[in-house]
């Protein structure tokens, strides 16, 4: 059974400049335990697709199912716990890294030990010493990794990543790619927006090219 299935999904926006239709009757299947690289020029609808998968918006036509159930029947809050959107611009609080990592679990009345937080940071290639550092003093790439670590703390079944390594050096990029391979091995699914064909080939089971509203799928051999 597919984990996620899109059937003839159409989404348009009206603006003073006219109507744009980033998704035109897009059909696709996302198998469980897969990494999908989502490619396409800026403004082609990659984040639109993510917003639909996360129910931040609904399609104009067509349907999307998650675990066999239409998204329209999912409680958005429950859905977003399972299908987690890691926005490109991280929304972090001007506090310490530890405060930020703790935040989502605190909302659920839980907490994390220092060891657990250190392990989370390690997964994104940051040392334990970052826990006490304040967010304002981190670089863009460091913030991006704290953001990803915070998302990982929720252990979502599906991760929607918007260029998670865009401002990272090659070594940190490799760390994140490795971590996402492990994540898939543990049974999770990752959709990953990237502009780098080499990265898509390294990480993905399938590469999706979005252009002019249409989706072209390229199967990777591994
Ligand atoms: P990408 O993520 O591939 O860069 P987006 O999904 O953000 O592209 O946008 C796809 C197209 O839809 C763009 O032309 C964008 O301007 C348009 N668009 C996205 N969101 C809205 C909106 N809320 N209102 C009007 N147009 C939008
Ligand atoms: P960008 O790719 O321009 O940096 P983000 O990664 O922050 O944008 O967000 C991805 C998309 O999700 C954008 O189109 C943005 O408008 C939308 N978005 C960001 N935050 C929210 C939110 N809290 N609720 C709904 N949509 C959001």
């Amino acid at each position: 059974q597919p984990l996620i299935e899109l059937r003839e999904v159409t989404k348009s926006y009206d603006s003073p400049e006219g109507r744009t239709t980033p998704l035109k009757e897009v059909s696709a299947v996302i198998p469980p335990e897969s990494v999908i690289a989502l490619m396409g020029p800026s403004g082609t609808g990659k984040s639109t697709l993510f917003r639909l998968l996360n129910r931040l918006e609904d399609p104009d036509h067509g349907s999307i199912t998650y675990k066999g159930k239409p998204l329209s029947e999912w409680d958005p809050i429950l859905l977003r716990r399972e299908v987690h959107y890691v926005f490109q611009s991280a929304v972090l609080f001007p506090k310490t890294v530890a405060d930020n990592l703790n935040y989502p679990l605190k909302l659920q009345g839980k907490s994390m030990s220092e060891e657990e937080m250190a392990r989370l940071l390690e997964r994104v290639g940051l040392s334990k010493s970052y826990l006490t550092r304040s967010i304002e003093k981190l670089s863009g790439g460091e913030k991006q990794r704290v953001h990803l670590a915070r998302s990982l703390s929720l252990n979502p079944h599906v991760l929607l990543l918007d260029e998670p390594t865009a401002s990272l050096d090659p070594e940190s990029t490799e760390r994140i790619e490795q971590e996402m391979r492990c994540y898939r091995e543990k049974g999770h699914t990752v959709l990953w927006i990237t502009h780098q064909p080499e990265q898509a080939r390294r990480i993905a089971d399938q590469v999706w090219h979005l252009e002019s509203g249409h989706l072209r799928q390229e199967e990777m051999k591994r």
Side-chain angles (χ1 to χ4, degrees):
Q1 195 196 356
L3 181 65
I4 299 176
E5 187 168 7
L6 295 104
R7 279 193 222 108
E8 301 186 2
V9 169
T10 297
K11 183 71 185 173
S12 301
Y13 297 104
D14 289 311
S15 72
E17 295 82 48
R19 166 166 285 219
T20 44
T21 308
L23 303 173
K24 291 177 189 156
E25 300 189 353
V26 167
S27 297
V29 160
I30 300 172
E33 295 180 39
S34 55
V35 176
I36 303 214
L38 184 55
M39 304 195 68
S42 261
T44 49
K46 301 179 297 298
S47 346
T48 300
L49 179 62
F50 278 8
R51 290 195 298 274
L52 296 181
L53 292 176
N54 207 18
R55 281 211 75 194
L56 291 169
E57 294 183 296
D58 291 319
D60 301 331
H61 302 286
S63 69
I64 306 175
T65 58
Y66 173 64
K67 291 184 172 169
K69 185 164 124 181
L71 283 198
S72 53
E73 291 174 20
W74 276 89
D75 170 24
I77 305 296
L78 285 180
L79 179 75
R80 283 174 208 148
R81 245 175 239 169
E82 297 215 13
V83 181
H84 186 91
Y85 189 166
V86 185
F87 296 109
Q88 194 178 69
S89 18
V91 185
L92 298 167
F93 305 103
K95 292 185 169 184
T96 66
V97 168
D99 289 331
N100 277 276
L101 289 180
N102 246 319
Y103 179 73
L105 286 176
K106 219 164 114 185
L107 284 183
Q108 296 178 19
K110 300 174 198 160
S111 70
M112 247 189 299
S113 70
E114 206 172 292
E115 281 322 297
E116 287 170 310
M117 285 192 275
R119 241 176 289 137
L120 268 182
L121 285 183
E122 200 193 327
R123 289 169 69 184
V124 297
L126 293 175
S127 68
K128 186 178 176 175
S129 65
Y130 276 84
L131 284 176
T132 51
R133 295 190 46 188
S134 67
I135 288 290
E136 296 108 308
K137 289 180 188 154
L138 301 184
S139 73
E142 288 166 337
K143 279 187 229 173
Q144 215 173 5
R145 284 184 281 169
V146 171
H147 189 207
L148 181 59
R150 189 175 65 179
S151 298
L152 289 172
S153 76
L154 298 165
N155 201 32
H157 196 53
V158 180
L159 268 177
L160 308 176
L161 304 178
D162 189 353
E163 295 190 72
T165 62
S167 39
L168 300 188
D169 57 82
E171 199 182 318
S172 315
T173 298
E174 164 61 27
R175 185 77 197 77
I176 303 288
E177 290 179 3
Q178 184 57 36
E179 179 55 35
M180 288 300 111
R181 273 183 220 111
C182 287
Y183 206 60
R184 179 192 53 191
E185 237 90 287
K186 289 185 217 151
H188 299 266
T189 290
V190 180
L191 273 77
W192 182 321
I193 296 176
T194 176
H195 288 290
Q196 297 170 283
E198 319 80 56
Q199 179 167 58
R201 274 191 289 274
R202 285 197 299 272
I203 57 171
D205 304 298
Q206 282 177 28
V207 182
W208 291 8
H209 300 270
L210 199 54
E211 214 163 343
S212 313
H214 301 287
L215 191 64
R216 182 167 57 80
Q217 297 183 38
E218 189 185 343
E219 203 73 39
M220 295 285 105
K221 294 192 195 77
R222 44 175 78 244

